[in-house]
Amino acid sequence: MGYFDAASAAPLHPVARQALLASLDEGWADPARLYREGRRARLLLDAAREAAAEAVGCRADELVFTPSGTRAVHSGVAGALAGRRRVGRHLIVSAVEHSSVLHAAEELERDGGTVTQVPVDRAGTVDADAFAAAFGDGTALACLQSANHEVGTEQPVARVAEACRAAGVPLLVDAAQSLGWGKVQGDWSLLTASAHKWGGPSGVGLLVVRKGVRFAPQGAADERESGRAPGFENLPAIVAAAASLRAVRAEAAQEAARLRELTERIRARVPGLVPDVEVVGDAVRRLPGIVTFSCLYVDGETLLHELDRAGFSVSSGSSCTSSTLMPSHVLKAMGVLTEGNVRVSLPPGTPAEDVERFLEVLPGAVAAVRERLGAPAAAESAPRTGADLVVDAVGRRCPIPVIELAKVIGDVPVGGTVRVLSDDEAARLDIPAWCEMRGQEYVGEERAERGTAYLVRRIK
């Protein structure tokens, strides 16, 4: 079986398993107590904190353990905003942040604050100058991920951190995806991470607040973890998280080179194996194990089921796999194709043979889904007859509106237009992306009696 969804949760590292089992016997007592069992537990907690701090590149007293990476983000954002409430209530985030950051931003807006989302380019990269331009007199905090969780693009954290420092604004870095591969560069102020992303157990997050950063923990007061993470520590899981972080770091350089070669293989070969595919994300500045591509005329959920039956576990940002029928906010912000989206994220140790087998299986899986949906063949072209056309795809979901557009574009003369009527949010992204891939002109959108009309002009 090929488990290719390490960006969601990496398999438990053998060192994490060993440390977890060992600390179940040694670390069950309350580390705040002074008797021998408590002192033993405290020694384990202190050692785990020292190991994690060394991996992050911070002081041990700057790092606390939280019940999850999401809790670390929410506590970090809320505490930093509260600590700087006299400055203002303006928060800056990138448009491709993890949902935990965006949810924290939404909470600020509901409470009367303001949020600026800095856009990204088609590779998913934030422009550091655009980020700096978003600063204002009331900016209390900025948030930027070290690398994107869906497409693997690395962000210019060091440059943004320099701009933040010059403006006197603390920068919170979500390092969940990258921390297992190395320290986050730059003069950041706060950092969060999640153990299950690097092969530690779930239920352990890290929150780092540098000395000198104004920070006011929110919620009921608690004496544990410097008041920043209330509740009894899950000590066995914390010990396992720190031990596995140290272990994956020791293997990181060699494994990163190996996984980069495997993902380069996927990036290079998928467009040749599968027609009408867009590989997304930065081709160079990206994490070692993540590669993402989108397939025209494909229902994402059906494709994931096809791959699952073939023995491969992958994830998707396609609206076709979402209960809300909304495309991934990351793909949306990038302006790339969302339908038939596949994220392959290889865990350390992935055999090259599994990648080769995936490349053998993928073309048949995509072809089977397209055939079921009645998608046009790659080279299909209808005669140039007729005038402007209207395609009524209201009530039909991704990828049907694009499939119907592709079927009729050849029925209009060069210079003619096709109006696609759709009420599916994904069409707003996928029709322009189809035009770019097919060399046609996307004219724009108009309101219609039912849904929205998307106008496409045939230019070849």
PDB file of all heavy atoms in Angstrom, residues 52-64:
ATOM      1  N   ALA A  52      13.248  19.874  22.027  1.00  0.00           N
ATOM      2  CA  ALA A  52      12.403  20.588  21.062  1.00  0.00           C
ATOM      3  C   ALA A  52      12.943  21.994  20.806  1.00  0.00           C
ATOM      4  O   ALA A  52      12.967  22.467  19.667  1.00  0.00           O
ATOM      5  CB  ALA A  52      10.969  20.646  21.565  1.00  0.00           C
ATOM      6  N   ALA A  53      13.394  22.659  21.867  1.00  0.00           N
ATOM      7  CA  ALA A  53      13.929  24.016  21.719  1.00  0.00           C
ATOM      8  C   ALA A  53      15.191  24.015  20.867  1.00  0.00           C
ATOM      9  O   ALA A  53      15.398  24.917  20.044  1.00  0.00           O
ATOM     10  CB  ALA A  53      14.218  24.614  23.093  1.00  0.00           C
ATOM     11  N   GLU A  54      16.024  23.018  21.040  1.00  0.00           N
ATOM     12  CA  GLU A  54      17.235  22.917  20.219  1.00  0.00           C
ATOM     13  C   GLU A  54      16.867  22.754  18.743  1.00  0.00           C
ATOM     14  O   GLU A  54      17.488  23.352  17.864  1.00  0.00           O
ATOM     15  CB  GLU A  54      18.082  21.733  20.684  1.00  0.00           C
ATOM     16  CG  GLU A  54      19.376  21.561  19.899  1.00  0.00           C
ATOM     17  CD  GLU A  54      20.177  20.344  20.340  1.00  0.00           C
ATOM     18  OE1 GLU A  54      19.731  19.629  21.256  1.00  0.00           O
ATOM     19  OE2 GLU A  54      21.239  20.102  19.750  1.00  0.00           O
ATOM     20  N   ALA A  55      15.839  21.934  18.471  1.00  0.00           N
ATOM     21  CA  ALA A  55      15.414  21.722  17.086  1.00  0.00           C
ATOM     22  C   ALA A  55      14.820  22.991  16.485  1.00  0.00           C
ATOM     23  O   ALA A  55      15.018  23.285  15.300  1.00  0.00           O
ATOM     24  CB  ALA A  55      14.397  20.583  17.031  1.00  0.00           C
ATOM     25  N   VAL A  56      14.108  23.752  17.281  1.00  0.00           N
ATOM     26  CA  VAL A  56      13.496  24.997  16.797  1.00  0.00           C
ATOM     27  C   VAL A  56      14.535  26.094  16.642  1.00  0.00           C
ATOM     28  O   VAL A  56      14.491  26.894  15.701  1.00  0.00           O
ATOM     29  CB  VAL A  56      12.378  25.453  17.759  1.00  0.00           C
ATOM     30  CG1 VAL A  56      11.896  26.856  17.409  1.00  0.00           C
ATOM     31  CG2 VAL A  56      11.209  24.471  17.722  1.00  0.00           C
ATOM     32  N   GLY A  57      15.492  26.133  17.579  1.00  0.00           N
ATOM     33  CA  GLY A  57      16.467  27.207  17.602  1.00  0.00           C
ATOM     34  C   GLY A  57      16.035  28.328  18.523  1.00  0.00           C
ATOM     35  O   GLY A  57      16.161  29.511  18.179  1.00  0.00           O
ATOM     36  N   CYS A  58      15.509  27.969  19.694  1.00  0.00           N
ATOM     37  CA  CYS A  58      15.055  28.959  20.665  1.00  0.00           C
ATOM     38  C   CYS A  58      15.485  28.529  22.062  1.00  0.00           C
ATOM     39  O   CYS A  58      16.055  27.458  22.245  1.00  0.00           O
ATOM     40  CB  CYS A  58      13.533  29.107  20.603  1.00  0.00           C
ATOM     41  SG  CYS A  58      12.619  27.635  21.163  1.00  0.00           S
ATOM     42  N   ARG A  59      15.215  29.359  23.037  1.00  0.00           N
ATOM     43  CA  ARG A  59      15.473  29.001  24.425  1.00  0.00           C
ATOM     44  C   ARG A  59      14.381  28.067  24.921  1.00  0.00           C
ATOM     45  O   ARG A  59      13.235  28.134  24.479  1.00  0.00           O
ATOM     46  CB  ARG A  59      15.510  30.259  25.292  1.00  0.00           C
ATOM     47  CG  ARG A  59      16.671  31.175  25.006  1.00  0.00           C
ATOM     48  CD  ARG A  59      16.577  32.502  25.710  1.00  0.00           C
ATOM     49  NE  ARG A  59      16.024  32.442  27.062  1.00  0.00           N
ATOM     50  CZ  ARG A  59      16.228  33.370  28.000  1.00  0.00           C
ATOM     51  NH1 ARG A  59      16.979  34.422  27.723  1.00  0.00           N
ATOM     52  NH2 ARG A  59      15.681  33.269  29.191  1.00  0.00           N
ATOM     53  N   ALA A  60      14.739  27.198  25.857  1.00  0.00           N
ATOM     54  CA  ALA A  60      13.762  26.250  26.388  1.00  0.00           C
ATOM     55  C   ALA A  60      12.614  26.962  27.085  1.00  0.00           C
ATOM     56  O   ALA A  60      11.464  26.517  27.024  1.00  0.00           O
ATOM     57  CB  ALA A  60      14.448  25.276  27.351  1.00  0.00           C
ATOM     58  N   ASP A  61      12.902  28.092  27.758  1.00  0.00           N
ATOM     59  CA  ASP A  61      11.834  28.791  28.463  1.00  0.00           C
ATOM     60  C   ASP A  61      10.970  29.637  27.539  1.00  0.00           C
ATOM     61  O   ASP A  61      10.035  30.310  27.992  1.00  0.00           O
ATOM     62  CB  ASP A  61      12.391  29.640  29.608  1.00  0.00           C
ATOM     63  CG  ASP A  61      13.389  30.692  29.143  1.00  0.00           C
ATOM     64  OD1 ASP A  61      13.724  30.712  27.940  1.00  0.00           O
ATOM     65  OD2 ASP A  61      13.835  31.501  29.980  1.00  0.00           O
ATOM     66  N   GLU A  62      11.268  29.614  26.229  1.00  0.00           N
ATOM     67  CA  GLU A  62      10.411  30.287  25.256  1.00  0.00           C
ATOM     68  C   GLU A  62       9.384  29.338  24.634  1.00  0.00           C
ATOM     69  O   GLU A  62       8.493  29.775  23.913  1.00  0.00           O
ATOM     70  CB  GLU A  62      11.264  30.888  24.128  1.00  0.00           C
ATOM     71  CG  GLU A  62      12.179  32.018  24.588  1.00  0.00           C
ATOM     72  CD  GLU A  62      13.103  32.497  23.488  1.00  0.00           C
ATOM     73  OE1 GLU A  62      13.491  31.672  22.629  1.00  0.00           O
ATOM     74  OE2 GLU A  62      13.456  33.693  23.487  1.00  0.00           O
ATOM     75  N   LEU A  63       9.507  28.046  24.904  1.00  0.00           N
ATOM     76  CA  LEU A  63       8.690  27.026  24.238  1.00  0.00           C
ATOM     77  C   LEU A  63       7.751  26.352  25.215  1.00  0.00           C
ATOM     78  O   LEU A  63       8.158  25.946  26.316  1.00  0.00           O
ATOM     79  CB  LEU A  63       9.612  25.991  23.588  1.00  0.00           C
ATOM     80  CG  LEU A  63       8.985  24.871  22.771  1.00  0.00           C
ATOM     81  CD1 LEU A  63       9.943  24.441  21.644  1.00  0.00           C
ATOM     82  CD2 LEU A  63       8.648  23.642  23.628  1.00  0.00           C
ATOM     83  N   VAL A  64       6.497  26.214  24.810  1.00  0.00           N
ATOM     84  CA  VAL A  64       5.522  25.451  25.597  1.00  0.00           C
ATOM     85  C   VAL A  64       4.872  24.419  24.691  1.00  0.00           C
ATOM     86  O   VAL A  64       4.821  24.574  23.468  1.00  0.00           O
ATOM     87  CB  VAL A  64       4.436  26.357  26.231  1.00  0.00           C
ATOM     88  CG1 VAL A  64       5.049  27.352  27.188  1.00  0.00           C
ATOM     89  CG2 VAL A  64       3.599  27.059  25.173  1.00  0.00           C
TER      90      VAL A  64
END
